[in-house]
Amino acid sequence: MKVLEVKGLKKKLGKREIIKDISFSIEEGEIFGFLGPNGAGKTTTIRMLVGLINANEGSISICGHDLKTDTEKALKEVGAVVENPELYKYLSGRENLMQIARIRNISKDQVNETIKLVGLEHRIDDKVRKYSLGMKQRLGLAASLLSNPKLLILDEPTNGLDPSGILDFREVVKKAANERGMAVFISSHILSEVQHLCNRVAFINHGIIESVENVLDESMDTNTDIICLKLLQEIDINKLLSIEYINSARKTDDGIEIILLSNKTPELIKYLVNNNYAIQEVFKIRKGLEQRYMELVEGGIR
């Protein structure tokens, strides 16, 4: 199910066109990265996604609800953490969450479940002024998760965190996506963070999405290759999975993504041709984001 669908979005501030016709979608349970340099249009896009500003053209749909015409129902499905969350420092973490829970009619059981999800159960009754930045980020994340949203929006969520805090935050986000089937939209300019956290990434620059691509962790087994296969006719995925040198195969918007043993691509092509499959295209998928970022955003390798 498409949780977020953005079509033909454009935004001008004064005479300057900030966002120039962008489109993308995010599926349930997917962690989607929005990657680009400062000034690329990331924050303007987020402000439109959460209803703070209106687009000049295009549409935003959240769980099938149009943000412009059905604003209340659309935003009911959204939780957001924008940089450093606003918290009452003189209250405890639990008291902060209970303030929100009372307004939104959320049960204590749901509050406790969310506290456990973000890993704050041992410090939740301490005053927020005693929290580290990482703990404040976790509490902000808990606040955004209280209503069990279908879409979680994170704007530069690891700014100011130390390496340990970044690792902890990353695991909490993955857990939220996996356990609650949430779609997560993460805006960032940090390549390594997107590499380790996201399933797909959109590269944005000068208000234009240059490409939307799958993300593959560089730590994957170096004895395997990852390819994208496009055929002119349908093929049963189970037929591919029965081939001994293929580890996995799945359909994507771009074709069939296959993980197979290194240097076995020619053998796969031979098998397909011998079985009368017409190959439209086959190419190896890059494992790292750095090269693609330099190609798409910076105009080439330095």
Side-chain angles (χ1 to χ4, degrees):
M1 179 184 111
K2 284 185 172 66
V3 174
L4 174 66
E5 192 164 16
V6 173
K7 291 181 179 178
L9 211 60
K10 295 182 182 181
K11 180 64 183 176
K12 283 185 178 179
L13 294 177
K15 293 183 179 180
R16 193 159 64 98
E17 196 174 22
I18 306 297
I19 301 298
K20 307 168 185 175
D21 194 8
I22 66 171
S23 300
F24 62 91
S25 63
I26 309 177
E27 300 283 339
E28 196 173 24
E30 182 179 24
I31 304 178
F32 185 90
F34 204 54
L35 184 62
N38 292 330
K42 300 190 302 295
T43 299
T44 301
T45 301
I46 284 179
R47 292 178 71 194
M48 288 189 282
L49 293 180
V50 297
L52 291 176
I53 58 174
N54 294 321
N56 296 115
E57 292 183 38
S59 66
I60 298 169
S61 175
I62 301 168
C63 294
H65 304 294
D66 187 279
L67 184 59
K68 189 174 182 179
T69 60
D70 204 359
T71 307
E72 188 176 343
K73 284 185 178 178
L75 291 180
K76 191 178 180 181
E77 304 292 349
V78 178
V81 180
V82 181
E83 292 195 359
N84 297 326
E86 292 295 324
L87 303 164
Y88 296 108
K89 295 180 182 178
Y90 59 89
L91 297 178
S92 70
R94 188 185 302 278
E95 288 167 338
N96 267 275
L97 295 181
M98 289 306 299
Q99 293 275 0
I100 299 167
R102 279 190 285 271
I103 294 168
R104 298 185 183 176
N105 197 27
I106 293 166
S107 69
K108 281 187 178 181
D109 286 344
Q110 199 167 331
V111 173
N112 289 332
E113 182 187 326
T114 306
I115 291 167
K116 188 175 180 182
L117 179 69
V118 301
L120 270 180
E121 57 264 50
H122 300 301
R123 297 291 303 277
I124 195 64
D125 292 309
D126 291 355
K127 301 292 184 188
V128 170
R129 64 171 176 265
K130 296 179 181 178
Y131 281 12
S132 66
L133 180 57
M135 291 169 65
K136 289 176 184 174
Q137 289 288 69
R138 286 191 191 210
L139 186 62
L141 184 58
S144 69
L145 293 173
L146 273 182
S147 58
N148 201 20
K150 284 292 183 182
L151 174 64
L152 178 64
I153 296 174
L154 305 173
D155 185 16
E156 304 288 359
T158 57
N159 269 3
L161 296 184
D162 60 23
S164 177
I166 290 171
L167 287 171
D168 289 345
F169 194 84
R170 185 189 302 160
E171 290 309 309
V172 170
V173 172
K174 284 182 177 179
K175 193 176 179 184
N178 291 335
E179 291 188 3
R180 297 194 175 187
M182 206 174 293
V184 183
F185 175 96
I186 296 180
S187 168
S188 182
H189 63 276
I190 303 172
L191 288 166
S192 60
E193 193 55 33
V194 173
Q195 178 82 54
H196 291 298
L197 190 53
C198 299
N199 308 116
R200 284 192 304 141
V201 60
F203 296 88
I204 184 170
N205 196 25
H206 301 302
I208 298 169
I209 289 181
E210 303 285 357
S211 181
V212 178
E213 301 184 6
N214 293 329
V215 177
L216 298 159
D217 199 324
E218 290 174 325
S219 64
M220 290 181 68
D221 186 357
T222 54
N223 293 322
T224 59
D225 289 330
I226 303 159
I227 63 168
C228 182
L229 173 69
K230 294 182 182 180
L231 300 174
L232 293 178
Q233 71 263 58
E234 286 291 316
I235 186 172
D236 186 353
I237 292 293
N238 289 323
K239 188 172 286 188
L240 290 173
L241 292 172
S242 68
I243 300 172
E244 60 180 7
Y245 50 80
I246 290 181
N247 293 347
S248 72
R250 67 184 184 99
K251 290 184 179 179
T252 70
D253 291 340
D254 299 318
I256 303 171
E257 183 184 289
I258 300 172
I259 301 177
L260 72 171
L261 295 180
S262 291
N263 304 316
K264 288 291 186 179
T265 301
E267 199 168 325
L268 174 60
I269 292 171
K270 185 178 179 181
Y271 166 84
L272 293 168
V273 171
N274 288 341
N275 285 274
N276 299 315
Y277 287 101
I279 299 171
Q280 182 181 22
E281 189 177 5
V282 60
F283 58 90
K284 186 179 286 189
I285 299 174
R286 293 174 177 86
K287 290 187 179 180
L289 281 184
E290 187 172 343
Q291 183 179 353
R292 286 302 281 155
Y293 182 86
M294 296 305 292
E295 289 172 356
L296 294 168
V297 175
E298 297 293 338
I301 302 298
R302 289 176 179 168

